[in-house]
Amino acid sequence: MTRSELVAQIKAKKSFLCVGLDTDITKIPEHLLGEEDPIYTFNKAIIDATEDLCVAYKPNIAFYESYGIKGWQSLQKTWEALPKDCFSIADAKRGDIGNTSKMYATAFFDEKVSGLGFDSITIAPYMGNDSVTPFLEFENKWAIVLALTSNQGSKDFQNFENKENTQLFEYVIDKVNTWGSPENIMYVVGATRGEAFLKIREHAPEHFLLVPGVGAQGGSLQDVCQYGMNKDCGLLVNSTRGIIYASKGKDFAEKAREEAQKLQQEMEQELIKAGII
């Protein structure tokens, strides 16, 4: 998916919602456990219930890898079920180099080889340009690079300052900007960082930001929009637990839709306020 196609979807759906598919078999409704593939059955119901309200889906690959070959089969079927007008994110956080990165890129981007054709993948940039650039060799595919996360240990490295008072996450963004463009690079920025989005936008004014942490993790959508939105929106705000685990009963998909719709309606107001729609 190209940037212009993504922006068009945001305007058409009046939403910049990304639904996380971090599907834990111990948390899905019990009545699904008798299905041949409970994870896929759950995911398909969530997708069907929310596809008109969101512009992206983000399976967390660890939740599939942990089940071995059956998990990969669930992942492939889930990817095949994703609407073609929605941006697909393999939340894999790969970060190796050279030929290994090329193989990871093939695994998630080359449908003819692997059976998967995600639009994007999350990447840890610690090992430098050869951990990112192999993913940029694929046309209309995106590298979503970890920049400023909201986990407890993020300050161990990301906020380290050099003698010029530049924090490590700022340096990372400036360096990664030289490897690609706003047409194929996004950054992960945790929603609980609030005003830190101002600093992010100093270094990446045009790039899209993937923003986890809204909802169950306590991030404020209004703060994210106030400090992080740009002229094209420039945001994909992810919600996972607040949507997919809204109910453990047979109404789980209906309740997921209700929660997604609440966020979509809030996003619509933010897009109107910003003059984007």
Side-chain angles (χ1 to χ4, degrees), residues 18-116:
C18 174
V19 174
L21 296 173
D22 303 8
T23 306
D24 184 342
I25 201 167
T26 67
K27 294 181 180 179
I28 67 176
E30 289 186 6
H31 73 275
L32 297 179
L33 298 180
E35 296 284 337
E36 181 180 354
D37 188 340
I39 291 175
Y40 168 70
T41 301
F42 176 82
N43 287 349
K44 183 65 165 63
I46 296 292
I47 293 166
D48 289 345
T50 59
E51 62 178 300
D52 61 320
L53 301 171
C54 66
V55 297
Y57 288 96
K58 182 177 71 65
N60 185 322
I61 304 305
F63 285 78
Y64 302 87
E65 289 179 317
S66 63
Y67 295 110
I69 189 169
K70 289 184 178 180
W72 278 100
Q73 290 168 345
S74 298
L75 177 64
Q76 182 174 356
K77 288 190 288 184
T78 296
W79 174 77
E80 290 171 349
L82 296 178
K84 299 309 176 188
D85 64 350
C86 286
F87 188 74
S88 58
I89 302 168
D91 189 5
K93 298 182 180 70
R94 298 306 193 240
D96 215 312
I97 58 173
N99 287 335
T100 308
S101 275
K102 290 181 180 179
M103 290 300 173
Y104 279 138
T106 298
F108 290 101
F109 287 166
D110 194 335
E111 181 183 359
K112 292 181 179 178
V113 175
S114 69
L116 297 173

Side-chain angles (χ1 to χ4, degrees), residues 61 65 90-105 108 121-135 143-146 179:
I61 304 305
E65 289 179 317
D91 189 5
K93 298 182 180 70
R94 298 306 193 240
D96 215 312
I97 58 173
N99 287 335
T100 308
S101 275
K102 290 181 180 179
M103 290 300 173
Y104 279 138
F108 290 101
I121 185 172
T122 55
I123 300 173
Y126 184 76
M127 294 181 75
N129 72 321
D130 41 359
S131 66
V132 177
T133 52
F135 297 92
I144 307 181
V145 178
L146 299 176
W179 303 338

Side-chain angles (χ1 to χ4, degrees), residues 142-163:
W142 296 71
I144 307 181
V145 178
L146 299 176
L148 186 62
T149 59
S150 54
N151 59 297
Q152 186 175 355
S154 63
K155 294 180 181 179
D156 290 346
F157 298 118
Q158 294 169 22
N159 294 107
F160 176 80
E161 290 188 4
N162 63 15
K163 293 179 181 179

